[in-house]
Amino acid sequence: MNQQKQNGNLIAIITMCFIFAMISFVTNMAAPFGTIWGYTYPWAGMMGNMMNFAAYLFMGIPAGKMLVKYGYKKTALIALGVGVAGLLVQYLSSIFGADIHAFDYQGQPVALNLIIYLLGAFICGFCVCMLNTVVNPMLNILGGGGNRGNQFIQIGGSMNSLTGTLTPFLVGVLVGQLSEKTSMSNVAPLLFIGMAVFAISFFIISAVAIPEPQQNVKNEKFAHSPLSFRHCVLGVIAIFFYVGVEIGIPAELNFYLSNMGFEGSAAIGGTLAAVYWFLMMIGRMLSSAISGKVSTSTQMTIVSTTAIVLLLIAIFLPESVAIQFEGHDIPVKCFFIAICGICTSIMWGGIFNLAVEGLGKYTAAASGLFMTMVVGGGIMPLIQHAIAQKVGAIPSYWLVIAMLAYILYYSKIGCKNVNKDIPVE
């Protein structure tokens, strides 16, 4: 019986890791798609990404309630169905609406097909929000919580980073170099691949037995909520800041390098941003190897402190200190910023693991709160960029340091459960 349970758990773990990979696949489509739209509408380059993140704000708490009402498996299946719909709507933007102008923006006529695309991106945001709500607590539960729960989340996170690294590469293979002549019809094969993966996953998950820790509490009226736990509330704030840190570091680095003025500066900016994401994958792999032995709090303390130090060096190091990189003098500070990827890599899983520790039956609702706060990935980078436009890209990293300082506080002090008197069984 124990062997059968272990085999079932292994299948569930593999399934959750696969879902984790799919989340990144869908989310990272926004970057090349945004580039395509940006050639025609410069203001729209980041709008697909923003629509993805905006969906979390609306869907996070409902997704947590879905876990309680329908369970993990049904919620995942609903999410996959929504994902197919979202990708289908994005595909529709490639076949009609280009000649119909919906409205004017800043004196520029905006075609209906852009609106259709953004609607599809918003629907896909609902999908990845629900999938994230399922996969994070599920991996934590399958690992038994604590250090091993964090280990399982980091393994899933490694798959997430791998897919995020491969998605731009896949775009390149399918359509070659993006240019002003590239349209959504050129990336339609990527959308079809996504829809096929979602459909196949739907049938696989339908046949897989997934543990349902909420099945005994569906009709129970809870006396408390995740917000009754101080360490959960502080963790929700930490997640909001973390996603802002994760997105803001490479985005502003890319902007800084792309505006250095020499030919190919944008390509170098993109290269160092890719290095950042690659290091995130490496960091998650390393964490998954040690998380069974090294506590989440210790790991989080080390990486948040290291990230602060790296950014302080980057801020104070003179721009004149440079090295040759792809035929150009690139400020060394840029490399210190890119290295932060290995630090931010474990923060998502680490914060989630610490914040849901000891929540028991309140874990599903807490997961919904966490997904709502992913909207920080849309809000904080916008604030950082506004600061950058006023005082410069590099000084804007003081905001990132402040957010990392809060994460450091949470890792050492705020993560402690001081509400153990609340029943969670």
Side-chain angles (χ1 to χ4, degrees), residues 72-383:
Y72 287 81
K73 183 173 179 174
K74 286 185 179 179
T75 302
L77 292 174
I78 292 170
L80 293 172
V82 172
V84 172
L87 292 176
L88 179 60
V89 171
Q90 290 187 59
Y91 169 69
L92 292 177
S93 71
S94 71
I95 59 176
F96 72 88
D99 298 325
I100 304 173
H101 293 141
F103 62 91
D104 285 349
Y105 179 78
Q106 296 182 344
Q108 182 183 24
V110 177
L112 177 62
N113 62 344
L114 173 57
I115 308 304
I116 295 172
Y117 161 72
L118 293 176
L119 175 61
F122 190 63
I123 295 172
C124 280
F126 284 150
C127 162
V128 293
C129 177
M130 285 187 280
L131 290 178
N132 254 317
T133 308
V134 169
V135 73
N136 287 280
M138 193 74 259
L139 283 174
N140 193 58
I141 290 167
L142 289 169
N147 295 342
R148 191 158 175 79
N150 180 48
Q151 184 178 35
F152 280 32
I153 294 175
Q154 297 303 341
I155 292 172
S158 299
M159 295 297 297
N160 183 275
S161 296
L162 176 62
T163 313
T165 304
L166 292 178
T167 300
F169 172 75
L170 185 58
V171 173
V173 171
L174 291 173
V175 302
Q177 183 68 33
L178 296 177
S179 68
E180 294 181 2
K181 296 181 180 180
T182 308
S183 67
M184 285 297 291
S185 60
N186 296 119
V187 294
L190 191 65
L191 294 169
F192 288 131
I193 290 172
M195 284 186 273
V197 170
F198 274 140
I200 293 170
S201 302
F202 184 93
F203 289 109
I204 291 175
I205 293 175
S206 296
V208 171
I210 295 177
E212 295 289 354
Q214 296 298 122
Q215 61 185 354
N216 296 322
V217 297
K218 288 181 181 179
N219 299 318
E220 180 183 343
K221 188 174 182 180
F222 298 156
H224 299 276
S225 77
L227 297 178
S228 302
F229 297 82
R230 192 196 71 167
H231 73 292
C232 182
V233 174
L234 297 179
V236 167
I237 297 171
I239 280 289
F240 179 86
F241 285 148
Y242 160 69
V243 187
V245 168
E246 177 194 292
I247 302 298
I249 288 178
E252 210 53 52
L253 173 63
N254 198 351
F255 178 81
Y256 172 67
L257 285 167
S258 297
N259 286 277
M260 293 197 74
F262 57 80
E263 185 177 351
S265 60
I268 291 178
T271 298
L272 282 186
V275 168
Y276 170 90
W277 292 109
F278 177 75
L279 288 175
M280 282 193 70
M281 181 179 68
I282 298 300
R284 284 171 170 171
M285 289 180 175
L286 291 173
S287 179
S288 66
I290 66 172
S291 288
K293 298 179 180 178
V294 182
S295 75
T296 306
S297 177
T298 299
Q299 290 186 57
M300 287 290 298
T301 300
I302 292 172
V303 296
S304 54
T305 301
T306 303
I308 290 172
V309 172
L310 288 171
L311 290 180
L312 285 173
I313 293 173
I315 289 173
F316 288 108
L317 196 65
E319 193 173 280
S320 57
V321 180
I323 60 173
Q324 277 283 311
F325 183 73
E326 296 188 4
H328 298 279
D329 288 333
I330 304 300
V332 174
K333 63 173 66 202
C334 297
F335 296 91
F336 281 101
I337 294 173
I339 293 171
C340 287
I342 205 164
C343 299
T344 58
S345 62
I346 73 167
M347 290 183 179
W348 171 271
I351 294 170
F352 186 89
N353 176 254
L354 292 172
V356 301
E357 187 68 21
L359 292 191
K361 62 187 179 184
Y362 299 103
T363 300
S367 183
L369 288 173
F370 270 80
M371 294 314 111
T372 301
M373 288 299 101
V374 171
V375 73
I379 295 174
M380 297 313 295
L382 285 179
I383 295 175

